[in-house]
Amino acid sequence: MLRRIIFFLLISLFSASGFYVGLLILDKGLLSLPAGLPQLKFGILALSTLVGLVLGLVLASPIIRGALRLTSFLEQRLSRTPTQDLVMGSVGLIIGLIIANLLGSILFVLGPLGRLIWILGTLLLGYLGMSVAIKKREELLGLFSNFPRFGKEKVSRSENRQSNYKLLDTSVIIDGRIADLVESGFIEGTLLVPAFVLEELRHIADSPDVLKRNRGRRGLDILNQMRKNSPVKVQIIDNVRGLDDVAEVDSKLVKLAQKLGAKIMTNDFNLNKVAELHGVKVLNINELANAIKPVVLPGEEMTVQVVRDGKEAGQGVGYLDDGTMIVVDGGKKYIGQTISVLVTSVLQTAAGRMIFARPRQEQRQEAQNVRYNGVNALG
């Protein structure tokens, strides 16, 4: 319905334009008409109106299609552009146009040349204002925050808003635990997946190595599942201007996090350290997994299944449900059995936590031997 209304409006506009052109031709005397045939004026007006009507019928549909395509293209571009860029770009454009308007009152004195300079200056100042405001947005926001009205309260609000953005690394997508964390509701805000991370996932999924190919496809499946079913918003970022000259994905991720004021979610130890050096906050799922493991103190008793022998002689190794390794001194002879052990010490390493223990049966036997020898000594 709306398209038909626009179609008839365009036809009416072209017809009115044709009529107006006919009036201009008659007023300017561009056509010499016989003095005895004043009816030709109406014929010229009707002919020019008819020409406008035909042009409207021919050009209305292409104009509408072109306008719809242009609107769709601009909508996609604007949806991919960060909100800060849109706001600061609009402010810069307005300032540039105001300056150009002030200069126009001076340039109009020069006549047609001044008008031409004013038009070109308006385009140039509008573009410069928008471009400079986008590139210097962080400095401009910092400048406004110095005013009392935009004090600590405003800064804290902007920091809280920016902290809701979290950039996902390739490793954390392939790991898969991010989907469970999002589903549990412990992660809030918007999860951002840069286009170069998605491209790296695609390369891994197309790798000739079977293991890498399976990991890449698993990462793509998890990402699709999160976009469809997760309670938080998962957004793909295609606008990575200014990062084309950066070769490594990790460096691009750090630069983008600085640009957006976002946090990085990763399992990569090296990326974790590099991001911290650049002042970017990192959410490491491995650190989270270690933090939520139950605390075990020396002297506590637990049940573990010894599955294999350890590095040292006589040691046995078992695992808790969360994957924590338990090294059982003297547990080699219990391989394949589930026994009760007493914790002797806990060691926290960069790779995780290790628990050292001894079989509880041996502890009881040692205690009995001590009491028995004590009685003999007294006797």
Side-chain angles (χ1 to χ4, degrees):
M1 185 65 181
L2 180 60
R3 188 167 182 173
R4 290 182 180 179
I5 294 175
I6 296 175
F7 180 78
F8 285 117
L9 288 176
L10 287 176
I11 292 177
S12 302
L13 179 62
F14 273 96
S15 301
S17 300
F19 181 79
Y20 180 71
V21 170
L23 286 178
L24 286 179
I25 292 174
L26 294 176
D27 291 339
K28 299 295 182 181
L30 299 178
L31 289 177
S32 58
L33 301 176
L37 296 173
Q39 295 84 359
L40 289 177
K41 293 182 179 180
F42 298 103
I44 291 174
L45 291 176
L47 180 61
S48 62
T49 304
L50 181 61
V51 171
L53 177 63
V54 172
L55 288 176
L57 291 173
V58 174
L59 298 178
S61 295
I63 290 175
I64 293 175
R65 287 196 299 268
L68 291 177
R69 291 176 182 176
L70 179 61
T71 303
S72 177
F73 173 76
L74 292 177
E75 183 181 357
Q76 291 178 1
R77 296 289 297 180
L78 292 176
S79 62
R80 297 172 184 172
T81 304
T83 306
Q84 289 185 355
D85 290 357
L86 291 177
V87 174
M88 297 307 298
S90 301
V91 172
L93 178 62
I94 293 172
I95 294 175
L97 293 178
I98 291 174
I99 296 174
N101 190 30
L102 294 176
L103 295 177
S105 59
I106 301 174
L107 295 174
F108 266 87
V109 181
L110 302 177
L113 179 61
R115 292 187 180 90
L116 179 61
I117 296 175
W118 174 71
I119 294 173
L120 296 177
T122 301
L123 296 175
L124 178 62
L125 289 174
Y127 173 76
L128 286 178
M130 181 174 60
S131 178
V132 171
I134 291 175
K135 292 180 179 179
K136 299 291 183 180
R137 66 182 182 281
E138 300 295 339
E139 298 178 11
L140 292 174
L141 291 174
L143 179 64
F144 284 117
S145 65
N146 293 328
F147 292 98
R149 191 174 179 180
F150 302 94
K152 295 181 179 179
E153 182 180 357
K154 299 292 182 180
V155 174
S156 62
R157 287 181 181 177
S158 63
E159 288 178 354
N160 291 333
R161 183 171 59 253
Q162 291 177 355
S163 64
N164 288 332
Y165 292 109
K166 299 174 181 62
L167 289 170
L168 299 186
D169 182 27
T170 309
S171 61
V172 81
I173 297 175
I174 293 176
D175 179 80
R177 288 178 291 178
I178 180 66
D180 297 330
L181 285 175
V182 171
E183 193 67 26
S184 65
F186 281 97
I187 295 180
E188 298 178 348
T190 303
L191 302 181
L192 306 178
V193 182
F196 51 83
V197 170
L198 196 60
E199 186 68 16
E200 186 180 29
L201 269 177
R202 187 185 66 80
H203 281 299
I204 296 175
D206 294 336
S207 174
D209 190 310
V210 177
L211 181 60
K212 288 185 177 180
R213 184 167 63 247
N214 291 336
R215 293 178 63 196
R217 291 177 179 177
R218 178 171 179 263
L220 292 175
D221 292 339
I222 291 172
L223 192 58
N224 288 327
Q225 177 186 352
M226 290 172 58
R227 292 198 66 182
K228 293 178 182 178
N229 303 324
S230 66
V232 301
K233 183 179 180 180
V234 180
Q235 182 178 350
I236 306 296
I237 301 181
D238 294 325
N239 183 16
V240 289
R241 292 177 299 174
L243 301 178
D244 297 334
D245 55 342
V246 182
E248 296 183 356
V249 175
D250 290 352
S251 301
K252 287 184 178 181
L253 204 62
V254 173
K255 294 290 185 182
L256 185 60
Q258 290 178 326
K259 180 180 177 181
L260 300 178
K263 299 176 182 178
I264 297 178
M265 296 195 68
T266 182
N267 287 337
D268 192 337
F269 180 79
N270 294 326
L271 176 59
N272 194 339
K273 295 301 180 183
V274 172
E276 289 179 353
L277 289 176
H278 285 83
V280 177
K281 293 184 179 180
V282 179
L283 302 177
N284 195 315
I285 292 186
N286 287 334
E287 294 181 356
L288 175 63
N290 291 330
I292 62 176
K293 288 180 179 179
V295 178
V296 179
L297 298 176
E300 291 188 7
E301 181 179 354
M302 60 176 56
T303 303
V304 62
Q305 182 182 10
V306 183
V307 295
R308 61 181 180 87
D309 57 344
K311 293 183 178 180
E312 303 295 334
Q315 286 184 345
V317 175
Y319 297 92
L320 296 180
D321 293 336
D322 58 6
T324 302
M325 178 186 292
I326 300 180
V327 179
V328 182
D329 292 334
K332 184 176 181 179
K333 56 187 176 181
Y334 299 105
I335 293 178
Q337 302 179 24
T338 300
I339 61 174
S340 297
V341 296
L342 288 176
V343 178
T344 57
S345 63
V346 180
L347 178 63
Q348 185 69 41
T349 65
R353 184 175 57 178
M354 295 179 60
I355 299 176
F356 293 89
R358 297 185 64 181
R360 184 171 179 79
Q361 296 177 358
E362 296 185 2
Q363 295 278 350
R364 291 177 177 175
Q365 291 178 0
E366 290 181 0
Q368 292 176 359
N369 292 335
V370 168
R371 288 195 298 270
Y372 178 74
N373 292 334
V375 171
N376 285 342
L378 289 175

